Amino acid sequence: MRRMNDAAFALPHRLRRNRQSAAIRGLVRETSLAAAQLIHPLFIKEGTGDEPIASMPGCARLSLDGLVRAAEAAHQLGINAVVLFPAIAGDLKSPQAIECANPMGLVPRAIQRLKEELPDLAVITDVALDPYNSDGHDGLVSPAGIILNDETVGLLCAQALCHAEAGADIVAPSDMMDGRVGAIRAALDHEGHTSVSILSYAAKYASAYYGPFRGALDSAPRSGDKKTYQMDPANAREAVREAQMDEAEGADILMVKPAGPYLDIIAGLRNATNLPLAAYQVSGEYLMIKSASAAGWLDERQAVLESLLGIRRAGADMILTYFARDAARWLRE
Ligand code: PBG
């Protein structure tokens, strides 16, 4: 009989066998991350020249020329979709948020430029009133300070139509008003935009992690908070209700936001629906990794790829992330 190595003992399962080389680790890897799964959020502004965003190092408010350059660079790295966020000049913001549906506005012009210059890139637009609303809320605000649901939905439909007319491939309502997905679907179909998709922010939480983004767009609520429409971070079952409602109303893709602190929500929705799922790694998640790595306390590349892989592992098909370009480049190396 062969003598057992003194140090070895009988152990039927040694999980380390599947980790012993890069080749074997590659064979047993359960989750993949690819540039084609990433969506790049981009901030846009009027005029020439790009402006760095103080609250989001490495991000800038881009002129339309800068937008085309950034989108093209991302596209060349295998990223096939961008989502646009406009910085609207203060004098165009109003309590009626009327600029949101201006066919000559910043977003429609940006969509047209992108579709002219990069026709294969999918253009996604954010549908919500906060960049346009002088109150800083995603919906219209009554004199008593109430966020008005049904009045807002009418305006969101006009905004979505305006984006569709300009050539948007996907509209993404992020406002959390009830009934907006169905209303937007009906409005789009009525005007013949049957192939414009709806990516619904189904489970969007009232999160502290949006802080740096609101700094980028000067869109923080002027009074109150967003807790009467965005979800309570304590709730998970309610996310399933939101998802089911948006699915029934005709959403094509559902989103969970933020991503990292809500991986259980992503996993829960993965089981509750067969729609494709997106997750948004938001500005605060970006800033935490950026600042820790700028201080030399984290390896940025490894932390970014690990955070994105974790979101994929939880069940997201696609991820919106400000790291999209860096991640796509790192995935190629
Ligand atoms: C608003 C909107 C927000 C974000 C995307 N769309 C902010 C908010 O709800 O206040 C946040 C994105 C981020 O933090 O990266 N409609």
Side-chain angles (χ1 to χ4, degrees), residues 7-66:
F9 51 93
L11 194 55
H13 303 291
R14 287 183 183 269
L15 294 168
R16 290 185 55 193
R17 275 197 288 269
N18 281 345
R19 300 177 198 140
Q20 64 187 297
S21 68
I24 295 177
R25 288 193 296 275
L27 293 174
V28 302
R29 185 160 295 131
E30 299 173 30
T31 309
S32 67
L33 180 63
Q37 297 154 347
L38 303 178
I39 298 172
H40 201 347
L42 293 167
F43 297 98
I44 53 175
K45 63 180 258 298
E46 292 289 358
T48 53
D50 302 339
E51 287 169 4
I53 298 172
S55 57
M56 298 177 66
C59 296
R61 285 177 289 266
L62 305 167
S63 65
L64 294 191
D65 289 337

Side-chain angles (χ1 to χ4, degrees), residues 40-41 43 56 59 213 280-283 286 320-324:
H40 201 347
F43 297 98
M56 298 177 66
C59 296
F213 174 99
Y280 197 146
Q281 184 179 54
V282 300
S283 56
Y286 171 81
L320 291 81
T321 174
Y322 302 99
F323 289 117

Side-chain angles (χ1 to χ4, degrees), residues 2 24 38 40-41 44 62 67 84 115 151 171 184 190 197 231 239 246 250 253 272-274 281 287 298 302-303:
R2 259 189 77 213
I24 295 177
L38 303 178
H40 201 347
I44 53 175
L62 305 167
L67 169 67
L84 302 179
K115 293 313 290 184
E151 293 81 345
V171 293
I184 290 172
H190 186 260
S197 303
M231 285 180 57
D246 288 358
I253 304 172
T273 171
N274 287 320
Q281 184 179 54
L287 189 61
L298 267 186
Q302 288 185 43

Side-chain angles (χ1 to χ4, degrees), residues 41 43 56 85 126-131 136 138 174-175 201 204-205 207 209-214 217 219-221 226 229-230 257 280-284 322:
F43 297 98
M56 298 177 66
F85 293 103
D126 194 68
V127 174
L129 305 186
D130 52 315
D138 292 21
S174 69
D175 54 285
Y201 287 65
K204 177 173 180 179
Y205 286 86
S207 172
Y209 291 87
Y210 306 149
F213 174 99
R214 293 178 188 169
L217 297 187
S219 64
K226 298 193 174 185
Y229 46 107
Q230 297 180 348
K257 172 183 180 185
Y280 197 146
Q281 184 179 54
V282 300
S283 56
Y322 302 99

Side-chain angles (χ1 to χ4, degrees), residues 46 88 92-94 96-102 104-106 132:
E46 292 289 358
I88 300 297
L92 290 177
K93 299 191 186 211
S94 68
Q96 292 77 33
I98 198 73
E99 178 65 13
C100 77
N102 177 1
M104 307 298 287
L106 178 58
Y132 307 94

